[in-house]
Each structure stands twice: as structure tokens, then as C-alpha cells.
Amino acid sequence: MTDNGKPKYFSLMEQLRNDIVSGVIRPGEKLPSENELSQKYSLSRHTVRKALGILEQDGYVEAFHGRGTYCSENMRHIKKSKNIAVVTTYISDYIFPRLIQGMDNVLSESGYSIILKNTANSRQKEARCLEELLKKDIDGLIIEPSKSEMICKHRNLYQNLDKFDIPYVFIQGIYSEMRDKPHILMDDAQGGYLVTKYLLDLGHKKIKGFFKADDMQGLKRHKGYVKALQEAGISYDPDDVIWFHTEDRKVKPALMAKEMVQNGQLPDGIVCYNDQIAVQVMEELEKLGIRIPEDVSITGYDNSLYAQRGGGITTIAHPQEKLGEMAAELILEKINGISEAESKVERLIHPELIIRGSCRKAE
């Protein structure tokens, strides 16, 4: 027993735990050996081993055979860092700068800083980002999943976030096997429905679609496209849909638009996955002498700067800054301990149709 009436092993355990919590011993740092601790505190090795055993059991340290005992990486997350990690598929263009600005508007007011990373919509890069972030001091994570329509192969990394009590919020997509996690999505099926119905209301009958196959947004927008056709009594023809992936998104849409014209298959209208794809398709068609909207009506999605090209592209408004603000507010709720029972797991943003000059009534 020590002078304060506690067992010697317990007093040593408390001393080492306090050193870890206070940052004297940092995550990943090697602790002194059993012999060194025994000599420093004038204790038997058995007493030292017992103290270390309790710390290991409670997750403060990790013991590696032949290497020694180390402060657990988990300890990075026991103190509030006031850092929020934000992982998006892209950063530099399109809607992402304003999305991130919306997050910063809310987080900075609460004293938080953003650690920003991007994946280029690569699942391998997403896994590497998560591995890096698990070694950093972060209080929460806002993430746009990469290729969200595919099975997540690094679920263990999200489970590690759960283990370390680091809350995370998905935006713009969600892995199907993780739908119980907090997420904020556009109602993309309704958005796809609105643009397709608009073309149908203009009197267009033959409508082709260009959709992205490897993320949830693409499949949902396609679902809305199909629904609008069916409501109008037009049979769905899979040959009217061009699917592309992240890797071929800069080549395939334009290539297929060219092939469409060369084969004499120009439709009345085209529904595009987003504004970027709409511009690609329009530019390729215009090279071939096709006039927009005189010869074909085209829609986009996201109301980005691309949608203001020329006479403008009919599109779906993306809230951008508002979505960023909503994501920041939701992650702060999770950090402050508001449970799923008290706040909705899924928050849907309803789409709004923006009508511009890329469409015209059928003759």
C-alpha cells in the first residue's frame, strides 16, 4: 500500500494514465520498459506489469511482443482538438468551393478549424484519407463518399471512427450498408424526374439520358428519368441511356454524343447527369453542326457556373453553401451528443428546377 491507502500498482496506473491524458506521454510514444519503471518508482516488476495490464485493458496503451508498450493512437481523440475533417471527391472546381465555404461559415463561428482532403472519387484514396485522419487530432468528419453506389471495401476504417467515438456525417451520397449513419442528400430521384418531365411537357417524346453509374446520385437521377417517362406513357428503352464512370467521364459522354449523331439517332431531348456533362455533350454536338435548343433540348443538374454558358442550361438548383451549412450543423450536433433518436438520420434537400435557354418547345 502507498501512503494514500491505494495499492502500489493502482497508484502507478493512475500516474501513467494522468501522463497520457495530459499529453506528457503522447499517442504512439513508447513507454519506459518494465525495468525502467520498476527502478524509477522503486516497485517490483510484478507491480509494474499489473499497472500496465490495467492500462492496456482500458485502451490507454498497447503492448507489442518484443517491441515494448506504446501509448495508444486512440488517445489522440480523448481531448477536443477543435478540428473537423472534411473529405470531398473534388475541391478546386464545380460546386465544392461554395460547399466548403458553407461549412466554414458555421464551424468557424463555433471555434472549429477545417482539415480538408479530397479523394478524386477514388475508393483507394478515400481509404488512405481515413487512415491519415485516424492518426490526427479531429473531433468529427464530414465526408462525401467515393463511388457511393459500390460496396465500401474499407468499412473497418469507419468502424475505427466509431470505436474512437469520432462522429461522421455523409453528404451527397451514402453507402447502402451504412444508411443508419447520419447523412444529408439531395432528392436526386425527384431532380431527375423534374428535368425529364419538363422536356416531356415541352412536347419532346424521344429523350436520351447520360448518367453516372458508380455513384448514388447517378442511379437516383436515372430513377427519376424512368419515372417521368413511365408517367407519360413512354416505354423505357435502355438503349436510350448512356452510362459512364468516374474514370471515363471526361471522354465517354462526348464520344457517345458524336456516335449518336453519326448513327442518325439524335433525340428530341437529352437529360444529363450534371452541368459538366451537359456542356461536354453540347460542345460536341455543336461541333457537328447541331443547334441547341433548335435541334435538341438539353438539361443539366447542380446550377453550377457551367449552367450559365451561353443562353444558360436548364438545370436543378444545388444549395451548395446551404448544404455545407447543414452538414456543419449536423456534425456539431453529433459532437455535442445529440443522438440519432433526437435528430433525423437522413435529411433530404428538395430540388428546384431552373429554366434557361437550352430547351425549347417541340414543333
Side-chain angles (χ1 to χ4, degrees):
M1 288 285 183
T2 58
D3 293 340
N4 60 13
K6 295 179 180 178
K8 291 181 178 180
Y9 74 85
F10 193 85
S11 292
L12 175 60
M13 181 274 294
E14 284 189 324
Q15 176 64 53
L16 293 173
R17 185 181 63 192
N18 289 340
D19 287 347
I20 290 170
V21 172
S22 67
V24 173
I25 301 174
R26 296 193 55 77
E29 183 179 334
K30 186 177 181 181
L31 273 66
S33 68
E34 289 182 7
N35 278 337
E36 289 169 334
L37 289 171
S38 180
Q39 291 173 14
K40 180 177 180 179
Y41 293 99
S42 301
L43 299 170
S44 69
R45 286 189 63 184
H46 174 74
T47 299
V48 170
R49 197 173 296 123
K50 196 169 182 181
L52 292 175
I54 295 172
L55 290 172
E56 184 176 12
Q57 183 177 337
D58 291 344
Y60 288 92
V61 301
E62 296 176 279
F64 299 94
H65 183 69
R67 289 173 50 202
T69 302
Y70 293 77
C71 178
S72 172
E73 293 287 352
N74 191 11
M75 294 302 105
R76 294 187 186 278
H77 309 295
I78 62 172
K79 295 168 68 178
K80 294 299 181 185
S81 66
K82 304 300 282 188
N83 290 325
I84 302 293
V86 175
V87 179
T88 59
T89 52
Y90 303 98
I91 290 177
S92 61
D93 58 6
Y94 207 50
I95 62 171
F96 298 99
R98 288 185 60 192
L99 182 70
I100 294 161
Q101 182 61 53
M103 295 177 192
D104 189 58
N105 291 342
V106 172
L107 295 175
S108 60
E109 278 189 11
S110 297
Y112 286 86
S113 298
I114 290 177
I115 297 174
L116 191 58
K117 291 186 173 291
N118 81 95
T119 64
N121 208 31
S122 161
R123 293 190 294 169
Q124 290 76 18
K125 288 184 179 179
E126 180 179 308
R128 287 200 295 272
C129 282
L130 292 175
E131 287 169 353
E132 290 173 16
L133 291 171
L134 282 162
K135 296 176 183 177
K136 292 185 180 293
D137 297 328
I138 61 170
D139 295 344
L141 166 67
I142 299 170
I143 184 165
E144 179 189 23
S146 300
K147 298 188 177 181
S148 54
E149 192 51 36
M150 303 173 75
I151 296 296
C152 179
K153 290 186 175 181
H154 44 272
R155 180 77 185 272
N156 62 306
L157 297 174
Y158 286 103
Q159 290 169 340
N160 283 341
L161 290 169
D162 293 329
K163 175 183 172 184
F164 295 159
D165 292 322
I166 301 172
Y168 49 97
V169 169
F170 288 103
I171 58 170
Q172 308 225 94
I174 178 79
Y175 295 114
S176 59
E177 66 270 38
M178 299 173 73
R179 289 200 71 103
D180 60 327
K181 299 300 180 182
H183 53 277
I184 301 174
L185 309 175
M186 285 283 290
D187 188 346
D188 285 304
Q190 181 65 8
Y193 171 83
L194 288 176
V195 288
T196 309
K197 185 176 185 302
Y198 178 67
L199 293 178
L200 291 164
D201 289 344
L202 290 176
H204 300 312
K205 301 296 183 186
K206 186 68 171 177
I207 301 172
K208 288 186 178 287
F210 286 67
F211 298 104
K212 195 161 179 283
D214 55 7
D215 65 33
M216 174 185 285
Q217 296 100 306
L219 271 70
K220 292 289 187 182
R221 292 169 195 179
H222 172 261
K223 182 179 179 181
Y225 160 84
V226 174
K227 179 184 175 184
L229 292 177
Q230 290 175 337
E231 280 189 4
I234 297 174
S235 298
Y236 171 70
D237 184 350
D239 289 338
D240 283 337
V241 174
I242 289 91
W243 292 101
F244 61 93
H245 295 76
T246 297
E247 290 76 13
D248 59 19
R249 73 188 188 284
K250 293 182 178 179
V251 177
K252 188 174 180 181
L255 186 66
M256 297 306 292
K258 181 178 181 180
E259 185 176 302
M260 188 170 64
V261 175
Q262 290 174 338
N263 293 338
Q265 297 177 341
L266 186 69
D268 305 325
I270 299 175
V271 172
C272 293
Y273 167 75
N274 66 15
D275 299 334
Q276 283 180 314
I277 300 303
V279 168
Q280 277 190 52
V281 171
M282 290 168 75
E283 288 180 346
E284 187 62 33
L285 292 178
E286 286 170 343
K287 285 180 191 175
L288 299 169
I290 303 300
R291 299 169 303 160
I292 298 158
E294 290 82 2
D295 298 325
V296 59
S297 293
I298 294 181
T299 68
Y301 203 107
D302 288 331
N303 196 27
S304 65
L305 290 176
Y306 288 90
Q308 297 172 27
R309 172 191 183 277
I313 300 172
T314 294
T315 188
I316 294 292
H318 189 292
Q320 299 180 25
E321 279 191 40
K322 179 61 179 176
L323 174 57
E325 290 170 359
M326 289 175 65
E329 289 164 358
L330 184 53
I331 197 65
L332 290 178
E333 283 184 16
K334 301 307 168 189
I335 289 170
N336 294 325
I338 296 177
S339 68
E340 265 73 32
E342 297 173 278
S343 65
K344 293 180 180 178
V345 170
E346 178 177 86
R347 300 186 183 184
L348 273 182
I349 298 172
H350 298 292
E352 176 190 353
L353 182 67
I354 306 294
I355 298 172
R356 294 201 180 96
S358 63
C359 301
R360 68 190 290 265
K361 283 188 176 182
E363 295 179 353

